Amino acid sequence: MATPASRSERVYHQDYIARIRYANPLPPPPNGPKLLDIPNTGLASGQYTSASFASRMAREQPINIEADAELGMPIDLVGMPGIFDGDESSIQAPAQPPPIDPRDRALLRPLSSLGKPTAITSGVSFLRRTEYISSEQGRSRFESTTSTGLVRSTGHAKPKRKLDESKDDPMNILRSVLKGFDLANPEEAHTGGDDASGNVRRAVLTQAERTAWDDPRHPTKKKLRMVESYPVLPDLDAYPDSGGYMVTKFATNPMAESDTYDTRLDVGLLRPLPQDPDYVESLSAQSAAHEADPSKPAPGPPHFDYEYYLPLSEEDVANFQRKFDVDNPQKDDSSLYTSTTKPSQEPCFNFKRVRAYETVNTTVPPSFDEVAIVLHDPKESDQRLQKAAYYYPILQKSQIRPRRNAKLTFGLSQSQKQEDEADRIDYLNVTVGEPSSDELRARSNARAAYDVELEGEA
C-alpha cells in the first residue's frame, strides 16, 4: 500500500508578487489660498469647463515678483584692481586656465563616459541588441588585414583624384555642350578654333564618347538596350503669339461622376471674364510701387474668372478636332460644322456653358523651366514634321475651382458678379478660321526669340 509521501505530485511554479506602497506626503502650501473674483456667467454658458477659461484667468493675474535693480546678483567693481584705469584683466578669463582640482575631475567627464561601461559587450556580434554596440570599437577589434582602413594606415592608399576647377569655367561648359551637338550632327560640326564670327572651338571628342553615342547603354542596368530614340526639337510653327502655353488644372471634376470618359473635355473652352477696374488699378499701383522700391512685394500674375463651355455631343468633338488638324485635307470643308447661327444661318460649332470658375492660384515658372513633350511618329502622308520629341514651353500654371456666387473672388466684385449672372452667355457659336495679319506678325515676333533664322526680322 502506497503512502502519500511516495506519490509523484505535480509541482506548479508560481511567482510571488509583493505589492509595497511607499507614502510620500507633500508638505502644506507655504501660503494660504488666493481668492479670485470670477465673474458669474452661469453654468449654462459652459465657460467653467473649458481649458481656455482657466488659461485666460492665469494670463489676467499679474506676476507678483519683487526684484531689485540688480535682479538679485549685485556686482561690486570697487575691489577689482585696475578696473577704473581701463585694465579689464581682472574680470576676464585668464589666458592659462588654472589646474583642475582632482576632486573636480569627476564632474568634468564627458557625457559619453557616463553610465555603465560597455567594454565587455563591445565587438561581440553574437549578443542580442547589437545595434547598441559601438561601431568604432567593433572595427578596431574585428577588422581584417585586407580592409580599407588597414590599407590607409599603411600609407599605400591610392591618392585622391584632384578636381579640375577648369570644368566649372563657363567657356569650358560651352565647349562641352557644343561637343555634344557636333556628336549628334557631324555634318554641321565646326572643326576650327575660336574666330571673330562667333564660332567656338569644341572640346576634344573621345573614342569612348563616340562608342556611347553609337551603342548607348544604361549606366547601371547593362542588360537594357535602346529600342527607339527621338531627337528633342522645338515645334516653332505651333508657338502661339505669347511664345508658350498655359496649363490650367481643375480643383474638382468638371463633369458628373461616370464610369466612362467624356471626350468633350478634350475640346472644352475657357472664356475669361472682364476684370474689376478697381482690381486692375490696385495691380497697377502695386507694380509701380515695386518698381520704385524693389523691397516691396511684386503684385504677381493677375487672376481671372472664367466660364467653361463644352460641345453638345461627341460628334462635335471629332469634327472640331478635324478642323484643327493641319494635315487633314478636308479641314476647310464647311460640312464639318454641326450647327448654324441665327438668323444668318452660317455654319458653326455650338458650345454650351457648364459653370463659372475662379482662380485659386497662379504661378509663372522661369523660362523653359517646365515644358510639355510630345512624341511624334509621322505617317507617310505627314511631311510637315519629322520624327522627334517636340517640346512646348509652359509660361503659366493656374488652378481653378467652381465659383460661388456669394463669395468675393479675384477680379470681380459682388455687384458685378450679380450682373454677370444676369447677362451671362449660355451658348457660344464657334468658327475656325485662319489667323489675321496681326496675329501672324505677333507669332513671328514670338518665334524670332527662339529661331535664329528669324532673329533679325523681329
Side-chain angles (χ1 to χ4, degrees):
M1 184 174 182
T3 59
S6 63
R7 296 177 181 176
S8 59
E9 297 181 356
R10 183 176 299 178
V11 179
Y12 296 93
H13 178 75
Q14 183 178 5
D15 295 333
Y16 174 72
I17 301 176
R19 298 182 180 273
I20 301 175
R21 295 182 179 181
Y22 297 93
N24 188 19
L26 298 177
N31 301 323
K34 181 179 180 181
L35 301 180
L36 301 178
D37 186 12
I38 301 176
N40 185 11
T41 58
L43 296 176
S45 62
Q47 296 183 3
Y48 296 107
T49 58
S50 63
S52 59
F53 181 78
S55 301
R56 181 177 57 82
M57 289 182 55
R59 290 194 302 266
E60 292 177 353
Q61 298 302 319
I63 301 176
N64 188 13
I65 298 178
E66 296 181 0
D68 54 4
E70 298 176 343
L71 300 178
M73 299 177 62
I75 299 178
D76 189 5
L77 301 179
V78 176
M80 298 182 179
I83 189 65
F84 297 104
D85 297 334
D87 185 8
E88 299 180 355
S89 59
S90 59
I91 62 175
Q92 294 180 355
Q96 298 294 334
I100 302 176
D101 190 275
R103 295 173 295 180
D104 295 337
R105 290 185 180 276
L107 301 176
L108 299 179
R109 289 185 302 170
L111 296 178
S112 59
S113 63
L114 300 180
K116 296 181 179 180
T118 58
I120 299 177
T121 59
S122 299
V124 184
S125 59
F126 56 84
L127 294 179
R128 297 181 62 186
R129 314 295 291 179
T130 56
E131 60 268 21
Y132 297 114
I133 299 176
S134 175
S135 59
E136 294 294 332
Q137 297 179 1
R139 286 200 300 267
S140 63
R141 289 173 177 265
F142 291 95
E143 280 187 346
S144 62
T145 56
T146 59
S147 62
T148 307
L150 184 58
V151 173
R152 291 198 188 100
S153 63
T154 55
H156 297 288
K158 295 182 180 180
K160 294 184 178 180
R161 182 180 300 177
K162 295 182 179 180
L163 298 178
D164 189 1
E165 298 180 357
S166 63
K167 291 185 177 181
D168 296 334
D169 183 62
M171 181 56 66
N172 192 16
I173 296 176
L174 177 60
R175 299 184 194 277
S176 300
V177 172
L178 293 176
K179 177 184 64 175
F181 282 99
D182 292 346
L183 181 61
N185 304 279
E187 66 278 359
E188 301 178 2
H190 174 67
T191 57
D194 301 342
D195 52 26
S197 60
N199 293 322
V200 179
R201 176 179 57 83
R202 272 54 168 171
V204 178
L205 189 62
T206 62
Q207 183 61 33
E209 293 172 339
R210 296 182 184 274
T211 305
W213 175 261
D214 297 336
D215 185 16
R217 300 289 183 90
H218 195 275
T220 57
K221 301 177 181 180
K222 303 300 182 182
K223 296 182 179 180
L224 296 182
R225 294 293 182 270
M226 183 183 66
V227 177
E228 201 167 1
S229 63
Y230 293 83
V232 181
L233 300 174
D235 188 5
L236 297 177
D237 293 336
Y239 279 23
D241 51 1
S242 60
Y245 291 85
M246 297 173 54
V247 175
T248 303
K249 180 181 180 181
F250 291 92
T252 58
N253 190 356
M255 302 297 296
E257 295 185 1
S258 176
D259 297 336
T260 59
Y261 177 73
D262 194 344
T263 57
R264 296 183 300 165
L265 297 175
D266 297 338
V267 295
L269 299 179
L270 286 173
R271 186 178 73 90
L273 299 177
Q275 292 179 309
D276 183 14
D278 296 337
Y279 174 69
V280 176
E281 185 178 354
S282 64
L283 288 180
S284 302
Q286 292 180 9
S287 178
H290 176 70
E291 293 178 358
D293 186 5
S295 61
K296 295 184 178 180
H303 289 219
F304 289 89
D305 287 354
Y306 302 91
E307 284 185 338
Y308 188 53
Y309 295 85
L310 290 177
L312 300 180
S313 64
E314 294 187 0
E315 181 185 358
D316 298 350
V317 175
N319 293 353
F320 191 74
Q321 291 176 340
R322 293 191 187 100
K323 294 289 292 184
F324 278 94
D325 189 1
V326 295
D327 298 326
N328 185 12
Q330 300 178 356
K331 63 182 180 66
D332 296 330
D333 190 357
S334 60
S335 63
L336 295 176
Y337 291 106
T338 58
S339 181
T340 56
T341 60
K342 298 178 181 180
S344 60
Q345 298 298 320
E346 296 181 359
C348 66
F349 292 104
N350 200 265
F351 281 69
K352 183 180 179 181
R353 180 183 182 275
V354 179
R355 63 172 57 88
Y357 283 87
E358 62 183 4
T359 303
V360 180
N361 54 59
T362 301
T363 58
V364 180
S367 180
F368 286 91
D369 189 66
E370 297 185 12
V371 296
I373 297 180
V374 177
L375 300 180
H376 178 65
D377 291 311
K379 301 178 182 178
E380 295 181 358
S381 59
D382 186 7
Q383 302 296 332
R384 188 179 68 89
L385 295 176
Q386 68 179 55
K387 175 184 176 181
Y390 292 95
Y391 63 88
Y392 306 87
I394 303 301
L395 301 183
Q396 181 174 309
K397 298 172 63 178
S398 302
Q399 184 179 14
I400 59 176
R401 64 187 176 189
R403 191 183 70 183
R404 298 181 180 178
N405 298 334
K407 183 179 179 181
L408 293 177
T409 55
F410 296 98
L412 291 178
S413 62
Q414 181 67 19
S415 61
Q416 287 180 328
K417 287 186 177 181
Q418 294 177 354
E419 296 177 0
D420 176 64
E421 291 295 333
D423 301 334
R424 69 184 186 187
I425 301 175
D426 293 328
Y427 290 92
L428 291 179
N429 295 327
V430 181
T431 58
V432 181
E434 296 295 332
S436 61
S437 58
D438 295 338
E439 292 174 344
L440 290 176
R441 188 180 304 107
R443 291 184 182 182
S444 178
N445 294 336
R447 176 174 175 172
Y450 311 107
D451 195 349
V452 294
E453 297 180 357
L454 300 177
E455 185 176 0
E457 302 179 7

